[in-house]
Every structure is written in structure tokens, then in C-alpha cells.
Amino acid sequence: MENTMSEKTYLQALNEALKLEMERDENVFILGEDVGQFGGCFGVTQGLFDQFGERRVMDTPITESTIVGAAAGAAAAGLRPVAELMFVDFIGVAMDQLFNQAAKMRFMFGGKTTVPMTLRMPQGAGIGAAAQHSQSLESWFMNIPGLKVVIPSTPYDAKGLLISAIRDDNPVVFLEHKLLYGVSGEVPDESYTIEIGKGEVKREGTDVTIVATSLMVHSALEAAERLKADGIDAEVVDPRCLQPLDKDIILDSVKKTHALVVAHEAVTFAGPGAEIAAMVAEEALDYLDAPVKRVGAPFCPVPFSPPLEQFYIPNADNIVEAVKSLR
Amino acid sequence: MALSKKTLIHMYETMNKIRLFEQKLQEFFAAGEIPGFVHLYLGEEAVATGACSALTDADMITSTHRGHGHLLAKGGDLKLMMAEIFGRSTGYCKGKGGSMHIADFDLGILGANGIVGGGGPLAVGASLASKYKQTKDVTVCFFGDGASNQGTTQEALNAASAWKLPLVFVNENNGYGISCPQCKSMAVVDIADRAAAYDMPGVVVDGNDVLAVYEAVSEAVKRARNGEGPSLIECKTYRWRGHFEGDACTYRCTEELEEWMAKDPIPRFEAKLVEGKTLTQKEADKIKESIAKEVAEAVAFAKESPMPATSALMDDVYA
């Protein structure tokens, strides 16, 4: 059967992934704050309550520890929960249940269990939500053995990766960007998976590699178009997952272009770019013609006032500037 | 409640198994043969035994950092436990977990837990899975007086009650959260009082009376199986040893310890069984002898077992 494609938003793609997996597997259910009738804080679970009922789309009390821990417990007891936290910022409340319980159960118990849970969390700045509702915390999660960290940038990737995350036997942290929910793209109507840990070259180029994640993939693509006018042909690589990290796609690109800029919205210091830069330095230093440049947020909490917030979020200008500084 | 002779004897065996297993651990820890921390359950055997005797193999438990008793009472294998605590590759967790992280999913043991209050949300999830799959299985969440003050425990009580989950909270109030006595860490005297806040039954039982624990937990399990929701059973007991082996216990007086040791749950139950003619003293002694032998075999198994190969380090990080 030929796949039919249609234009969908990132949000619709996620919603479809949930719906298809719930139809396919009775063990998949959703839990979180206001995910039921209300349809989720940003609308990702819209319509699922009507289709599947409250047994499978469960509104929880405002208790993040219990949302994450109950997902881990239910997963260990044979279900495939998809938990939602309204904002990634709330993970602090539930961190023990994620990093000490869910992530470690399999290892600590000598492989006696699997914890097939998915934890969806929107992150990122740009909606004036200030310091406790706007962070990008992916480097926290990529530092925890036992977790997988998925961070899709397009509607196509969002759907395929969420289906893979739900089917994965490990706890998967699935990071969505609030500003991407409205972004559209071609998405197959059918179910499909994208391998977790496989990146994608979003734009081919020969002069510089820009490794970017989430919203920054779009900024990097915009930067690449502008650089083209200056005669610089940039390759944009989206690892799509930070744990496991597709090292090969990054190394292959760097070996081709001999230059690397890493762009993410998390703060630059100890952000994912630090790991990527170090990995390239260890494994492909001889291929580099210039030092690696990182583009990330400044080392401060996300500010509220719009001009400050816009200044805070890395953008295409910053990426263009970083690329040009390599010359 | 009329219990079969078989059940009563099984309870007696279980209590002795926990006692003798842990006394061996105490000995080997002092001799420097056990790595890490060991938190002993000595004196609290009636709680795990009474509670787990009310469960089937399909029922689940979440345990604590003081978990040996719960695990053994749920059917945990002596050899596999001993080997794990000795850090051997033949142990329950291949030497990756140790005393605080033993699990056996086939027996419904969802794991001991090194985090005080860590088990509540997991127990919510496990009992939610039973309800979701419409099995009749019940989960018991063991937690201490210290854990009862953790937000996670209160969250779990609330969610379990709101969702009428088949979950029984068994609080083991041994009087101390590490070195802090209950009177300094909470204003209530009975932790069971907190059940009222969640509209569930809260029952206080003598945690050194295995039959009292069994009866209270059985009643709660029955409610849970009938879809009537969770209960909170507080078992008043006492920790004979320090928080961990090596703890000098300067924070409590010997009189208090002596008073509780006089209420030792094992001779107390033994006297009852002998008096009720369930067992003769001779039979009781024989049971203890045979368990001591099993424990010795477990020690031998552990000691003869190899340490894990370093090549196994990265196994089981991911499925």
C-alpha cells in the first residue's frame, strides 16, 4: 500500500502517533495533568479521551512524582504508559522517580525487568512563560544512563519517533518544543517508525557542519540559506536523539566539511554541544580546520520580558555569525 | 481468623528464615565480608511475614532499603539473595544491585528501594496496571515511618484513593527515621491517622504480632480485591539494630531496646503455636535447625560464587 502523505502540524503528528499506538496496542495508555477532556496543556492529546475513554487517557492529580513513578511502576508491571508533564521544568519535582527509579530499575535488578515508558515533556522558550516554564533541559537527561532522549524537530520526525519511543522497552524522555507545535510538514497518514539513535542530514552541504536540535534545526536551515548567499555551503545535521547519539552521522559530516558548529537552545555551558564538541575532538580532530563553535543560550535563567527573551533564544543570526567566525 | 496449620507453620518458618538470614548478615558484615551498606530488619519480622502471608504469588510488593524481610516473606530465594548481598554474579541482580536493590518480578517483588519514599508512586503504577488489566492482583507498598513524611508517599496515598486502586499501604513504624525519633519528626502519634485525609481505612496494629498484622492486611487485601480501594495499616514495631550495620546507636537508650527485645515477635508466636498444639517445642526447634542449615547453604553458595566479570558491567543498562 502506498503511503498517503498530507500536511500536518507537529502537534497533529504527535496526536496521530498516540492514537495509532493506542489503537494498535491495548497496553498503551496516557496519563498526566489535564490530558483527558481538556486535551493536554498544548493540545497534544486532543480527542483521545473521546475515542479511548478515561481508562486509557487518565487525568492525574497535580503530582509529577506520581505521574512519572506510576508510569514506571505500570511499565514494570506490563503496560506501556505514555506520561505527559505539562512543562519539562516540572521534572525537578519528579526527578527521583525518573533518574533513580525508572532509569535504573533494569540495571539494578540485573536485567529482571524492562521499563517501557515514554515521558513526553514540552520545553523551550518563546512564549513569555518565564524562567520556570521555558527551560531546555536535555543535557540533564542525556547524562543519565538508562534513559533515551529523543528531541524531534519536524512533524515527520515527531510522529515516527514517538511511535518508536512507545514501542521501545526503555524509559524514553521525549522532548517537544512549544514553538514547533504549530510547524507544518508532510507526514504520512499511516504508522511508521524512525529508529531511535539515527540522525538525519536535513540539508546537504560541503563547507561546514551545523549540528542542531529541535527548534534550532529550523534556525540552522535559515542560517544555511543566508550563508549560501555568501558562498558558504552549510550541511545541517539533526541527530534527532541525544541518547543514544548518532555519532557516525556527525563524524561523517565533519570529515566532509572540516568545520563544526553546534546549535541548541539549552544553555551553552555543559549543554549537549559540549558533549558533541568533545566527541568530535576525540574522534575527528584531525579533520577540523577550525575550532568547534557552540551556539546556545546564555548562562542565565530564561527571562520574561519579550525583548530579553528574544535576545536570550539563540537564532539564525547567531548561527551565521558562528559559522563566519570559523573563517 | 482460623488459619490452617500449614499457613501457621509457614509463617513461623518465614519469621525464622528472616531472623537467621539477617543474623548471618550481621556476622559477615562485622567480619568485613559484605560490601556497602546493610540495613537489618531484625525485630520487625512479624510485619513482612504477616503482610505477605495475606498475598498470592501474583500479588506484588514494593519494598524499602530495609527490604530483606519483605523479599524473603514474598518467597525470595535465600541463595540468590545471599549471593547478591555478597556482590556475586550468581545473585538476584548479578551483583549490580546489592542489599538495597533486590527484585524478583516472577514473585511480584518489584524491588527494594534505596530512596526513602521511592516506592509509593511505583506501587501506584503497579496497582494501576492490575486495575487496568482487570486482574484481581493487589499491590502492597511497604514504607517506614520516615517515608510517611515524604511527599511521594502522601501523593501515592492520595492518588490510590482517588482512583480506588487495589493497593495496601503497610507502614512499618519502627520508631526511628535513621537517628530521628518519631516524636521529633511528626506531630501525630499514629501514622494511620493520616488515612483519614485520604478517606481510606487507617488501622493501627501491634507489629510484633504476626497474626494481628496478617488479619489487618488480609482485611485490606480483601477490600482491595473487591474494588473498594486502598487501606493504610500501621504496624508498630521496633528496629533492634542501628539504621545500618556499624551505626553506634547513640541516639537511643538501652532500656528502650531491652523493652522491645522482650517483645520479640518470634518466641511470642512460637509460644502461641506450642500452646495451641500447632507445633511441639521439638518440632519448632527442628524447623529452626533446618532453616539454619538452609542459611548456611546460602552462605556457602554465595561464597563459592564468582564475583561478576568486569566485562558484564555494561549489560542491562538498556533493554
Side-chain angles (χ1 to χ4, degrees):
Chain A
M1 190 176 71
E2 203 184 324
N3 265 4
T4 52
M5 299 279 269
S6 46
E7 188 86 356
K8 281 163 205 152
T9 63
Y10 186 91
L11 186 140
Q12 286 166 332
L14 292 167
N15 180 271
E16 245 177 45
L18 293 169
K19 178 178 139 74
L20 288 168
E21 282 307 284
M22 289 178 79
E23 281 170 349
R24 190 187 69 88
D25 183 352
E26 170 76 15
N27 286 330
V28 176
F29 75 105
I30 291 171
L31 73 165
E33 291 154 10
D34 308 295
V35 294
Q37 197 84 68
F38 189 73
C41 185
F42 292 96
V44 176
T45 57
Q46 209 71 250
L48 299 175
F49 181 85
D50 290 338
Q51 185 180 346
F52 297 101
E54 63 179 343
R55 171 172 167 261
R56 300 189 64 197
V57 187
M58 291 184 60
D59 277 329
T60 64
I62 301 177
T63 48
E64 285 80 12
S65 289
T66 290
I67 295 168
V68 177
L79 300 182
R80 286 194 180 268
V82 184
E84 173 181 304
L85 293 195
M86 282 187 166
F87 293 84
V88 77
D89 313 71
F90 304 165
I91 193 61
V93 176
M95 203 60 175
D96 177 68
Q97 293 295 323
L98 182 66
F99 89 108
N100 268 327
Q101 311 296 338
K104 298 192 175 92
M105 277 169 97
R106 181 174 175 79
F107 183 83
M108 288 189 317
F109 300 152
K112 289 226 154 42
T113 189
T114 53
V115 186
M117 62 175 274
T118 303
L119 179 59
R120 295 184 33 248
M121 296 180 284
Q123 62 172 18
I127 62 165
Q132 295 174 341
H133 289 74
S134 303
Q135 294 162 91
S136 291
L137 299 177
E138 58 268 33
S139 55
W140 289 19
F141 308 115
M142 47 188 294
N143 200 238
I144 300 164
L147 295 183
K148 290 190 177 179
V149 183
V150 178
I151 183 164
S153 64
T154 66
Y156 180 89
D157 291 352
K159 182 172 169 181
L161 284 166
L162 183 53
I163 291 174
S164 295
I166 294 169
R167 294 182 190 177
D168 199 284
D169 279 338
N170 297 283
V172 179
V173 170
F174 195 91
L175 299 169
E176 300 159 11
H177 197 292
K178 299 174 199 95
L179 293 189
L180 290 177
Y181 282 135
V183 168
S184 310
E186 285 286 300
V187 178
D189 297 325
E190 289 77 13
S191 184
Y192 60 94
T193 57
I194 295 172
E195 189 185 336
I196 291 178
K198 269 261 176 278
E200 189 182 53
V201 175
K202 298 290 190 200
R203 181 191 193 279
E204 292 205 19
T206 52
D207 299 334
V208 59
T209 299
I210 306 170
V211 172
T213 52
S214 191
L215 184 67
M216 287 305 115
V217 171
H218 302 272
S219 303
L221 290 169
E222 188 191 327
E225 283 311 306
R226 280 202 242 157
L227 288 163
K228 200 172 144 191
D230 293 326
I232 301 170
D233 187 17
E235 177 147 299
V236 177
V237 175
D238 176 3
R240 300 195 287 203
C241 304
L242 291 167
Q243 185 58 258
L245 178 67
D246 188 345
K247 287 181 171 189
D248 291 343
I249 202 170
I250 297 170
L251 293 172
D252 288 348
S253 180
V254 167
K255 286 173 184 173
K256 181 172 80 172
T257 65
H258 308 293
L260 174 64
V261 169
V262 188
H264 53 67
E265 191 179 312
V267 293
T268 310
F269 184 85
E275 174 58 35
I276 293 167
M279 185 271 288
V280 171
E282 279 180 343
E283 300 192 30
L285 186 64
D286 293 346
Y287 290 89
L288 288 174
D289 289 341
V292 176
K293 283 280 169 192
R294 286 181 286 162
V295 175
F299 198 64
C300 72
V302 183
F304 166 66
S305 182
L308 285 179
E309 187 184 32
Q310 282 312 309
F311 180 69
Y312 171 93
I313 304 171
N315 58 24
D317 292 344
N318 305 128
I319 298 171
V320 166
E321 203 179 303
V323 169
K324 287 188 173 171
S325 77
L326 298 177
R327 304 272 140 171
Chain B
M1 205 177 296
L3 283 170
S4 70
K5 182 174 170 175
K6 196 177 152 204
T7 306
L8 291 167
I9 292 176
H10 182 67
M11 284 174 162
Y12 179 72
E13 285 169 345
T14 302
M15 289 170 82
N16 279 293
K17 198 184 264 188
I18 301 169
R19 172 71 51 93
L20 296 173
F21 180 83
E22 291 223 311
Q23 283 175 337
K24 270 289 166 231
L25 291 183
Q26 188 184 334
E27 200 179 293
F28 284 109
F29 188 87
E33 293 196 48
I34 295 173
F37 288 125
V38 170
H39 305 83
L40 297 184
Y41 195 68
L42 292 172
E44 306 183 32
E45 296 89 347
V47 181
T49 305
C52 291
S53 298
L55 302 178
T56 69
D57 281 355
D59 292 325
M60 294 173 279
I61 62 164
T62 62
S63 176
T64 68
H65 62 279
R66 200 176 303 288
H68 308 146
H70 310 140
L71 275 44
L72 287 170
K74 193 71 175 60
D77 184 282
L78 276 176
K79 286 184 176 161
L80 302 185
M81 281 187 58
M82 193 66 88
E84 184 58 35
I85 295 167
F86 273 76
R88 309 297 162 129
S89 64
T90 53
Y92 257 123
C93 319
K94 306 173 191 163
K96 302 261 185 78
S99 163
M100 286 188 282
H101 305 296
I102 298 177
D104 186 338
F105 283 74
D106 295 336
L107 294 171
I109 300 168
L110 303 186
N113 204 315
I115 305 297
V116 171
L122 298 173
V124 166
S127 56
L128 179 64
S130 301
K131 190 178 176 185
Y132 187 95
K133 292 191 272 192
Q134 292 175 307
T135 69
K136 285 279 172 195
D137 305 334
V138 169
T139 302
V140 164
C141 172
F142 287 104
F143 67 110
D145 43 296
S148 77
N149 299 323
Q150 287 276 21
T152 44
T153 304
Q154 300 305 316
E155 282 188 20
L157 285 159
N158 177 63
S161 189
W163 296 338
K164 280 207 178 318
L165 295 179
L167 180 47
V168 179
F169 293 91
V170 175
N171 174 248
E172 309 183 288
N173 187 347
N174 66 20
Y176 289 84
I178 310 183
S179 71
C180 190
Q182 189 194 340
C183 62
K184 286 190 186 174
S185 64
M186 61 185 99
V188 293
V189 173
D190 293 330
I191 289 165
D193 285 353
R194 291 177 171 173
Y198 304 106
D199 193 30
M200 67 172 80
V203 183
V204 178
V205 296
D206 176 350
N208 281 22
D209 178 349
V210 67
L211 294 176
V213 175
Y214 172 81
E215 280 184 28
V217 175
S218 295
E219 189 57 36
V221 166
K222 199 167 110 194
R223 262 178 57 82
R225 278 201 221 289
N226 285 342
E228 294 168 64
S231 309
L232 169 57
I233 315 289
E234 177 186 3
C235 307
K236 306 264 193 197
T237 184
Y238 195 79
R239 188 185 82 203
W240 284 6
R241 304 290 298 169
H243 172 66
F244 51 87
E245 283 309 278
D247 171 0
C249 261
T250 50
Y251 46 84
R252 63 183 196 189
C253 58
T254 15
E255 289 79 8
E256 186 183 89
L257 174 62
E258 281 162 6
E259 191 187 309
W260 276 95
M261 285 185 81
K263 294 189 262 187
D264 186 341
I266 297 180
R268 198 171 145 185
F269 187 47
E270 184 180 281
K272 206 176 234 177
L273 293 179
V274 172
E275 206 174 290
K277 304 210 184 316
T278 308
L279 277 177
T280 63
Q281 189 59 53
K282 214 172 158 187
E283 284 167 333
D285 294 342
K286 219 166 167 190
I287 286 172
K288 282 190 270 196
E289 249 171 63
S290 128
I291 289 170
K293 208 173 138 224
E294 266 185 77
V295 170
E297 281 164 10
V299 170
F301 172 77
K303 289 185 147 193
E304 284 159 15
S305 291
M307 287 294 183
T310 51
S311 60
L313 176 68
M314 299 300 287
D315 294 350
D316 301 321
V317 178
Y318 289 96

